[in-house]
Amino acid sequence: MSGRTLGRGGYPKGLPNPGGARIVRTVHSTGPFYAVAYRGLLSLLSLGMGAAVSAAAPTPEAIRKLPPAVGRAVDFRKDVQPILEAGCVKCHGRGKANGDWKLDTRETFLQPGESGPAVVVGDSARSYFIHLVAGTDPDSAMPKKGSKLTPDQVGVLRAWVDQGLQWDPQVSFAQPPANNLKPRRPELPAGRSTHPVDRFTEAYFVKHGAQSPKPVDDRMFLRRASLDITGLLPTPEVQEAFLKDRRSDKRARHVRQLLGDKPRYAQHWLTFWNDLLRNDYAGTGYIDGGRKQISPWLYQALLDNKPYDQFVRELVNPVSGSEGFTKGIVWRGTVNASMTPPLQAAQNIGQVFMGVNLKCASCHDSFIDDWKLSDAYGLAGIYADGPLEMVQCDKPTGKVAPLKFLFPELGSVDAKAAKTNRLEQLARLITQRENGRLSRTIVNRLWARLMGRGLVEPLDVMQNTAWDPDLLDWLAEDLVEHHWDLKRTLELILTSRAYQSPSVNVSEKPEAEYTFRGPAIRRLTAEQFRDALSSITGIWAEKPSGDLDRLLAEPGNPRQPRPAAAFWIWSDAHAGTTGVPPGTNVFRKDWVVSSIPTEATLFVHADNSAKVFLNGKRVRGSESGDWSQSSVYDVRSQVRVGTNQLAVEAINGGDGPNPAGLLLYARVRQSDPKPRNTAGAAGERVLDFGTDASWRVTANPPSEWLQSPSTQGWAAADILGVPGMAPWNVEAALAQTVSGRTGFGAVRASLITADPLALALGRPNREQVITTRQSTATTIQALELTNGDTLARLLKRGSEKLVAAHSDGRSLAQQVFRQGLSRPPTRQELALTLELVGDKPRAEGVEDLLWSLALLPEFQLTY
C-alpha cells in the first residue's frame, strides 16, 4: 500500500472500516494503523483510555515502535494490577466504560468495545490495547492525561498478554459497593474498661502492640474539655473548685455540667455548624436577597439540642427559618452551570450529611471517585422547579438526568410528585433507620472535632474505611438508639480515656498508614482565640449579628417585679382580643434621656408581627413574628441625648378578623452616682417604660410619618389588658426575659461578623461548605498576630481595663496567667512579669505582657 492514502485506522480511503470509524484526516501508508476517531468520541471526557478500541491490524511500523516484552513470568497482583490502577481504571473501571470498554474483570477486558476486541490473547504485538498504552501514535496515546506508561511498564503488559492474560479472580476493578452505608451494631470487645469507647481503643492498642496512654492531669483536662464544649477557658474560680474536688467521677460530672450550659454550648458549636451549613451574618448574596441566613433557627436548634434526624429533616425539607441552607447563593452575572441553586443543594446535602463530595461530579464525571454527572443532577433535580438539563463543563448535553437519591438501594423519589412532596420523600430517605451513612458521617465529624482527626479521613469521603470500623459503627448505632442525641455522643467521647490521653502530633499520612495514638494537638479556632483574649481583658463585642438578639437573652427570675408597667395595646380596646380585620397600626412614643444610656433594650410581643423604628431608622433585625416569645433588640447605639422617637409598625395579618395587639417593654438604664429608683443597681438610674395609654396610634399613618415629629390626628392607644391576658398569656415569658441577661456588651466572636483577625486565623467566608479548617500556620496569620491593627487595638484597650481593675502587679499577673494559661505563673515568670508591668501596673507594660501571652504556643494550642 506504499504511496496510498490511508484513513486514521490504517484503512485505504474510501474503503469500509470496521466499527463505524469516521475518517478525520489522511496519512501516508507508513503512518500508524490505529489513528481512528469514532462518532461521539470528541464529546467524551477522555482522562484515561477513553477512545473506542479498534480491530484493525497494525502496520509493521507500529509494531517496530513497541518496547519489547519483559523476559520473565509476570505476576498479576504484583506487576500488572498497579499499572492498570494507575493508568486505566479511572476511565474503564469503577463503573465507567469509556469507548464502551471496561476492565472490571478478565471477562469484561476481553469483551469487544465499540470497534472490536482490545487484545489478542497470546499476541501483544497485534493487540490494540498495547499500541494505545505504548503511544506508537502520539495522537492516540493513552492515558490521555496524567503520566504515560514507561517502556518497562508496557513491556510488563506485553508479557502479560503474551503469557495468556492471567488474572487473579480475587481482583476486580468494578465499582465497589457503598461503604459505611448499612447500619451495623458490633459487639463490645472484651476488656477491663467499663467505658465502651475505651473497650474499642484498648483492643486497638493491643492489636497494634501499643500501651494505652495514661490520662492527662486535671488542669489540662479541664482546659481541653472547656474549650471543646463551650469554646471558653475555665475561670480561675472554676479551676480551683475542680482541682479541690476529690470525687472519682468529677471529670464526667464536669463534662455533663458543661454540656448542660446551653447558651455557652450553643454559642460555641454555632461556629462548627455555620461552617458546615455555610451560614454567616454578612457577605455575598445577603444584601440583594440572593442568600438567606438561618442563624436564629440554627441557634435555637443548638439550644434545644434538637434530635439530629429532625435537624436534618428540617434542613433538607425546609421549615420556617431553615430555608437558607438549600436555597444556596443566587450568584450575579454569568456563573458555571454547576453553581445553580439546585446543584448547590445537591452538593451541600451530599457533603454535609452523607460524606459525599459532588463538586467534581456537578460539572463532569468525577476524576477522583465514582460519582457521575448524572448522580449530581439526579439529586439536584429534586430541588428544581422543572426539568434540569445536564450541562457538562458548561456545554449543554440535551439530556435530563432521572431524579434519584445518591444511594438507590435505600429508596427512590417519585419524579412525578410535586416539589414539596419530593422534598418530604428525600428527607425521609436520608433520615430513615436503614441509612447508616447519616449517623456515621456526623459521628465521624464529632470525633474529628474533639480528636483532631476523624475515624474516617478525609471527612467528606465516607466511602473510605475507618481506622477502627467497629468503633465508628458502634458510636453511630448508639446515636440512633438514643434518639439522635448529639450531646450524648459528645459525652461518650469526652469521658473516654482515649479523649483524656496526652495530645500527639498527628501526621497527614494516608489512612492506610495512620495509627491512632491519642488526640491531636490542635490550634485554637479564630473564635476561641478571640474569646480567650476577651476573657482575659474583659473586652468583648457589644452586639450580636445575625438577628440573634432575642435568643441570647437568658431567662431570669419571673417573680422579680418590673420597674415599669406594660400592657397589651391596640387602636380599639373592644375588638382587640375578639377579632380585628387585617391591617396595620402605627404606634409612637417620645422619651427623653439626659445622657447616653448604659443599656437600652426593647422586649416586644406582637400579634401578628411588628417592625420597630427609633429616631426614624429601622432597628436592625426587628420583625417580630412570634408573639409567644419576647423579641429582644439592643437599641443603645440609636439612642441620642434629648428626645427620642420610638415607633412600632404593628401588622395584623390573616384572611379575616383575628386577635391583634402590641406589648413592648423598654429596659433603659443610665449611669448615676445617686440612683433615684431602688430597682436599679448601685450607680444606676432606671428609666424603664412600657406600652400604655400614653402611646399614640393611627391606622392611617401619613406617608412621611417616620420623618414627621407631629402626631396630630393620632389617637391615644387603648389598653387591652395585662401581659397575662387571654389569648396571649405571655406574663411568664416577658418576666423571665426582662429579668434575665441579654448578653449585650459581652458578645462572643462566634456571634459577630468576621474581622481581619478572625479571617487571618482561618475563619472562612462561608460561601461554600467548610468541613475542616486549615490547621497549618500561614504568612498572613504571622503578620496579623505580630502587626495586625485589630489585635493591637484589642490588647491596648485590654491593658487599660486591666490596669484600672488592679492596683498591684502581682494580682494582675496571677489573674492573667490563671485565666489565660489555666495555671499560676512560675516564680521566674512572676518575677519577669513584675519587672515588665511594675508593682503598680503600667498600661504599656501590661500591653507587652498580653502580646507575649497571646503569642505563646501554650496559649494558642489545645494540648
Side-chain angles (χ1 to χ4, degrees):
M1 293 177 61
S2 178
R4 293 192 63 183
T5 304
L6 300 181
R8 283 183 59 86
Y11 298 98
K13 283 194 68 178
L15 296 181
N17 56 74
R22 175 168 59 87
I23 306 303
V24 294
R25 68 178 174 91
T26 60
V27 295
H28 193 266
S29 62
T30 57
F33 77 100
Y34 46 77
V36 181
Y38 294 89
R39 293 185 181 94
L41 177 60
L42 295 180
S43 66
L44 291 174
L45 197 65
S46 301
L47 268 191
M49 290 172 291
V53 296
S54 171
T59 63
E61 180 189 1
I63 294 175
R64 285 195 298 271
K65 289 184 177 181
L66 291 174
V70 297
R72 59 178 175 82
V74 297
D75 179 89
F76 181 80
R77 277 185 178 268
K78 179 182 177 182
D79 300 319
V80 178
Q81 183 180 352
I83 299 174
L84 297 180
E85 286 182 337
C88 309
V89 169
K90 66 177 66 175
C91 288
H92 299 281
R94 306 288 188 255
K96 296 181 181 179
N98 286 6
D100 197 26
W101 181 72
K102 55 185 177 180
L103 47 72
D104 294 356
T105 62
R106 187 178 190 273
E107 289 70 27
T108 63
F109 195 99
L110 290 173
Q111 289 176 2
E114 289 180 348
S115 301
V119 294
V120 178
V121 178
D123 191 349
S124 63
R126 294 174 55 232
S127 296
Y128 182 53
F129 163 72
I130 295 296
H131 283 270
L132 286 174
V133 297
T136 53
D137 176 12
D139 291 342
S140 301
M142 297 293 169
K144 280 288 186 183
K145 293 186 178 180
S147 299
K148 299 293 189 286
L149 270 59
T150 66
D152 289 343
Q153 290 174 317
V154 176
V156 168
L157 294 180
R158 286 199 66 183
W160 175 52
V161 174
D162 291 340
Q163 294 169 20
L165 204 78
Q166 300 301 314
W167 193 296
D168 189 327
Q170 301 299 315
V171 175
S172 172
F173 299 115
Q175 184 169 352
N179 194 20
N180 295 321
L181 184 63
K182 296 180 179 179
R184 183 180 76 95
R185 175 79 184 216
E187 295 296 324
L188 284 175
R192 293 176 298 174
S193 176
T194 59
H195 197 290
V197 171
D198 293 329
R199 293 275 283 274
F200 286 104
T201 54
E202 284 175 3
Y204 178 88
F205 286 132
V206 170
K207 179 180 178 181
H208 288 81
Q211 293 289 328
S212 297
K214 294 182 178 180
V216 297
D217 62 32
D218 282 347
R219 195 181 298 277
M220 186 170 290
F221 166 79
L222 178 63
R223 181 184 176 91
R224 183 191 295 178
S226 298
L227 285 168
D228 281 338
I229 300 173
T230 67
L232 297 170
L233 296 172
T235 65
E237 295 74 22
V238 169
Q239 295 171 39
E240 184 176 1
F242 186 76
L243 294 175
K244 287 181 178 179
D245 192 342
R246 293 292 177 258
R247 291 175 293 185
S248 61
D249 64 343
K250 69 177 185 179
R251 293 191 178 190
R253 287 174 178 267
H254 195 69
V255 165
R256 286 191 289 273
Q257 179 181 335
L258 290 171
L259 288 170
D261 189 344
K262 293 181 180 180
R264 271 151 282 283
Y265 167 85
Q267 289 165 27
H268 170 55
W269 283 87
L270 190 64
T271 294
F272 172 82
W273 285 107
N274 275 340
D275 283 4
L276 265 181
L277 303 178
R278 71 175 197 178
N279 178 64
D280 216 333
Y281 313 123
T284 302
Y286 286 124
I287 294 176
D288 61 5
R291 187 178 180 188
K292 183 178 181 181
Q293 63 169 298
I294 62 172
S295 305
W297 176 89
L298 177 57
Y299 187 75
Q300 189 66 58
L302 295 174
L303 279 176
D304 298 339
N305 191 32
K306 182 171 290 187
Y308 186 62
D309 60 337
Q310 181 183 350
F311 180 91
V312 173
R313 278 195 300 272
E314 293 182 9
L315 286 166
V316 174
N317 181 26
V319 298
S320 177
S322 70
E323 310 95 331
F325 174 63
T326 52
K327 177 181 179 179
I329 302 175
V330 181
W331 299 96
R332 294 197 221 176
T334 302
V335 297
N336 186 282
S338 65
M339 294 308 297
T340 60
L343 276 164
Q344 291 178 54
Q347 294 163 15
N348 296 345
I349 288 170
Q351 184 174 0
V352 175
F353 303 132
M354 305 298 290
V356 171
N357 194 328
L358 291 175
K359 288 186 173 65
C360 286
S362 296
C363 193
H364 48 73
D365 290 353
S366 177
F367 308 147
I368 58 175
D369 51 36
D370 300 329
W371 296 106
K372 301 181 179 64
L373 184 68
S374 58
D375 295 324
Y377 272 83
L379 181 56
I382 299 172
Y383 282 90
D385 295 322
L388 194 61
E389 180 187 10
M390 289 195 294
V391 178
Q392 180 177 293
C393 296
D394 272 347
K395 294 181 180 179
T397 65
K399 300 177 182 178
V400 176
L403 267 60
K404 65 174 180 177
F405 184 46
L406 293 172
F407 299 98
E409 55 265 53
L410 294 177
S412 60
V413 173
D414 183 3
K416 297 180 181 179
K419 180 178 176 181
T420 53
N421 294 333
R422 297 199 303 266
L423 299 187
E424 290 176 6
Q425 294 173 31
L426 178 61
R428 283 197 299 269
L429 278 176
I430 292 176
T431 59
Q432 64 178 302
R433 182 66 179 82
E434 292 75 15
N435 180 15
R437 178 63 72 85
L438 177 66
S439 54
R440 287 183 177 97
T441 299
I442 185 58
V443 161
N444 191 51
R445 295 197 192 284
L446 297 182
W447 182 277
R449 181 73 169 191
L450 299 176
M451 295 291 201
R453 182 182 172 115
L455 291 157
V456 176
E457 285 286 341
L459 300 184
D460 298 328
V461 187
M462 286 299 293
Q463 179 67 14
N464 288 346
T465 300
W467 55 260
D468 192 334
D470 286 347
L471 175 56
L472 173 67
D473 291 354
W474 190 92
L475 285 171
E477 286 303 291
D478 183 81
L479 170 66
V480 177
E481 290 174 6
H482 289 86
H483 312 292
W484 298 86
D485 183 352
L486 293 183
K487 283 190 176 181
R488 173 185 164 81
T489 301
L490 289 170
E491 183 178 340
L492 276 172
I493 300 172
L494 290 157
T495 54
S496 70
R497 184 164 175 164
Y499 171 80
Q500 298 173 37
S501 300
S503 296
V504 297
N505 281 312
V506 175
S507 67
E508 298 297 327
K509 289 184 178 180
E511 193 69 14
E513 302 176 26
Y514 171 72
T515 301
F516 175 74
R517 294 181 292 126
I521 297 173
R522 291 168 286 142
R523 293 171 52 209
L524 297 182
T525 65
E527 293 83 355
Q528 287 173 326
F529 182 84
R530 182 63 176 265
D531 287 348
L533 289 177
S534 295
S535 70
I536 298 169
T537 62
I539 305 299
W540 301 83
E542 291 290 326
K543 186 175 175 61
S545 306
D547 303 336
L548 292 172
D549 307 49
R550 175 180 66 81
L551 295 174
L552 293 182
E554 298 178 25
N557 180 7
R559 297 183 178 180
Q560 181 176 323
R562 292 188 292 274
F567 303 93
W568 284 99
I569 61 173
W570 199 250
S571 56
D572 185 334
H574 175 72
T577 60
T578 57
V580 176
T584 299
N585 276 192
V586 175
F587 297 88
R588 209 169 86 177
K589 181 178 178 64
D590 293 345
W591 51 291
V592 180
V593 294
S594 57
S595 62
I596 297 299
T598 56
E599 179 184 359
T601 307
L602 306 181
F603 304 85
V604 182
H605 294 257
D607 186 359
N608 294 105
S609 65
K611 299 176 183 177
V612 183
F613 302 83
L614 182 57
N615 296 324
K617 293 183 179 179
R618 170 90 174 271
V619 172
R620 184 183 60 81
S622 64
E623 181 129 20
S624 169
D626 180 4
W627 55 259
S628 66
Q629 300 290 329
S630 295
S631 294
V632 184
Y633 310 114
D634 177 17
V635 296
R636 181 173 172 269
S637 63
Q638 289 181 235
V639 177
R640 61 194 181 199
V641 175
T643 301
N644 291 267
Q645 183 189 93
L646 177 61
V648 181
E649 185 180 52
I651 302 167
N652 184 39
D655 298 325
N658 64 94
L662 171 68
L663 171 66
L664 179 148
Y665 189 90
R667 193 166 74 187
V668 185
R669 308 297 160 90
Q670 273 185 332
S671 295
D672 191 340
K674 297 179 180 179
R676 305 177 190 180
N677 188 326
T678 55
E684 184 178 76
R685 184 181 183 188
V686 176
L687 301 174
D688 293 11
F689 64 90
T691 42
D692 56 22
S694 68
W695 286 62
R696 309 296 291 177
V697 62
T698 179
N700 299 292
S703 58
E704 302 297 324
W705 67 270
L706 264 179
Q707 285 73 39
S708 173
S710 172
T711 56
Q712 185 176 357
W714 294 42
D718 281 346
I719 293 178
L720 306 180
V722 297
M725 71 177 294
W728 300 297
N729 303 310
V730 297
E731 171 59 41
L734 180 66
Q736 282 189 326
T737 311
V738 170
S739 62
R741 288 182 66 252
T742 61
F744 302 139
V747 175
R748 294 177 57 181
S750 64
L751 306 172
I752 59 175
T753 54
D755 58 24
L757 177 62
L759 294 174
L761 293 179
R763 174 164 162 176
N765 62 20
R766 294 170 177 154
E767 291 178 2
Q768 59 183 334
V769 168
I770 299 295
T771 57
T772 305
R773 292 190 183 181
Q774 185 178 347
S775 60
T776 54
T778 66
T779 303
I780 292 177
Q781 290 169 8
L783 292 172
E784 189 68 28
L785 287 173
T786 55
N787 231 4
D789 182 62
T790 305
L791 182 58
R793 284 187 283 106
L794 171 63
L795 299 185
K796 180 176 178 61
R797 291 175 60 203
S799 66
E800 294 167 352
K801 191 164 186 176
L802 284 169
V803 167
H806 293 272
S807 58
D808 69 283
R810 186 176 295 270
S811 68
L812 186 150
Q814 290 285 347
Q815 173 67 22
V816 168
F817 272 81
R818 289 180 182 275
Q819 181 61 50
L821 302 179
S822 303
R823 63 171 178 82
T826 65
R827 182 177 300 177
Q828 183 181 15
E829 287 171 336
L830 181 59
L832 290 172
T833 300
L834 290 177
E835 183 179 334
L836 185 65
V837 306
D839 292 329
K840 183 175 177 57
R842 303 181 303 273
E844 296 83 358
V846 175
E847 189 175 350
D848 289 341
L849 172 64
L850 294 177
W851 274 105
S852 300
L853 180 139
L855 297 179
L856 280 176
E858 185 180 356
F859 177 76
Q860 293 187 8
L861 301 177
T862 301
Y863 288 101

